[in-house]
Amino acid sequence: MTDRYAVIGNPVSHSKSPQIHKMFAEQTGQDISYEAILAPLDGFAETVEQLRKEGFKGCNVTVPFKFEAFGIAKHHLTDRAKGAQAVNTLKFEGGTIDGDNTDGAGLVCDIQKNHKFFLKERRVLLMGAGGAAYGVVLPLLGAGAKLTVVNRTPSKAQQLFQTFATQGDITATTYEELKSSKQQFNMLINATSSGLSDDDPPDLRGTILAENGMAYEMVYSRETKFRRFANDNHMKISDGLGMLVEQAAESFFIWRGVRPETAPVITALRLS
Ligand code: ATR
C-alpha cells in the first residue's frame, strides 16, 4: 500500500518538496505519495490531526508552522529539534508524533558534501538570529565551525549566543564592529530574511571574506541583493537549493530508512 506524506504550510503552493520527494521515491523504489497541504493560519494542529486520522505516515512543516510543530511533538523531540526550537519533520508512529529538524543537517551536508567546503576550524559568520539561524547553529557547531553570530537587533544575537554558549565555539558581534575591524571569515551565511524581500542585505565590508572563502545565501527562489553583493565583490556564492534538497533527503531517511542520491535531484531542479 502506498504510504502518504505531505508538506504543510501557508502559503505552500510554491513548495518544491512534492517534486523532490517524487524524484526520491522513483529513484529508491519507495511506494509513497507526497502532497502540499495548505493549513489555515489558526488550524495547523487540526490539519495534523486530520492527516493522522487519514493514515498519513508523516509530514514536513514549513513557514509559519515550525514552532507550532515543535509544541505538538514536545515529548518526542531530537536534540537538533530542541536546539532549533523548531520542527520541520513529523513522523507519525503508532500513537506518538516524533519531531525532528533537518534544516541544519541539510545546510552542513550541502556545504561539505556538495561544495567540498569543510567546516572544521573554519571561521563562519552567521547573519540573522531568527528561526532560520536557530535551525542551523547546532549542526554547524557539530561540524567544528568557529561561529560568530551577528544580527540587526544585537540583543537577539546575544540571546542566540547565550542559548548555545556551552555547545561549541560561538561568539556574537555587531555589524558596526565588523565594519570597523579588519576581521575576516572563511564563510558567510545569510540566514536573514532580507533575501525574501527587496530589503537591503546586511551591511558588510566587501573584504570580509578571506581568500578561498565562500558565501552562502539560504534563499534559493530568487536572485537576492546579498548574492549581488557577493558577486560584486568576487566572492564564491551558493544559493540554498542544495540545502533544500539535502534537508528533504534527511526527512526521507527518517521516514523510510533509505538515503536517496541528492546530486541528480539538485541538477534536475536547476534545469526545471
Ligand atoms: P526566519 O524564520 O526566516 O529566520 P525571522 O524569525 O522573522 O525569520 O527572522 C528574520 C531574521 O532576519 C532576523 O534576525 C532579522 O533581524 P532582526 O532581528 O533585527 O529583525 C533579520 N533580517 C531581516 N531583514 C534584514 C535586513 N534587511 N538586514 C539584516 N537583517 C535582517
Side-chain angles (χ1 to χ4, degrees), residues 85-209:
Q85 299 171 20
V87 155
N88 78 337
T89 306
L90 292 172
K91 183 177 178 181
F92 308 145
E93 190 114 306
T96 65
I97 302 180
D98 298 333
D100 201 346
N101 191 311
T102 65
D103 287 331
L107 172 69
V108 167
C109 192
D110 187 39
I111 292 171
Q112 300 203 130
K113 187 184 76 171
N114 300 330
H115 294 286
K116 305 273 182 281
F117 187 99
F118 298 101
L119 288 160
K120 195 164 170 51
E121 302 288 323
R122 302 281 89 188
R123 291 187 307 278
V124 175
L125 181 68
L126 180 65
M127 289 170 275
Y134 271 81
V136 300
V137 172
L138 274 190
L140 286 169
L141 291 176
K146 293 163 167 295
L147 213 55
T148 299
V149 59
V150 61
N151 192 50
R152 185 174 57 184
T153 308
S155 60
K156 288 204 219 160
Q158 277 299 331
Q159 205 176 328
L160 186 152
F161 159 65
Q162 295 292 347
T163 304
F164 296 103
T166 58
Q167 310 275 335
D169 192 336
I170 183 168
T171 182
T173 189
T174 62
Y175 288 113
E176 286 69 30
E177 266 176 45
L178 291 176
K179 270 249 143 161
S180 60
S181 78
K182 290 200 161 68
Q183 229 179 321
Q184 285 195 310
F185 296 86
N186 305 108
M187 171 160 271
L188 313 175
I189 298 178
N190 188 15
T192 76
S193 53
S194 66
L196 296 171
S197 63
D198 284 320
D199 285 358
D200 283 337
D203 188 17
L204 299 174
R205 264 181 299 117
T207 53
I208 193 158
L209 191 66

Side-chain angles (χ1 to χ4, degrees), residues 10-44:
N10 187 333
V12 79
S13 58
H14 64 284
S15 173
K16 291 185 190 294
S17 294
Q19 214 182 332
I20 294 171
H21 283 278
K22 185 164 178 282
M23 286 190 258
F24 286 165
E26 280 167 7
Q27 184 203 108
T28 58
Q30 292 283 309
D31 186 10
I32 69 157
S33 68
Y34 190 107
E35 57 205 90
I37 292 178
L38 179 74
L41 289 175
D42 60 355
F44 175 70

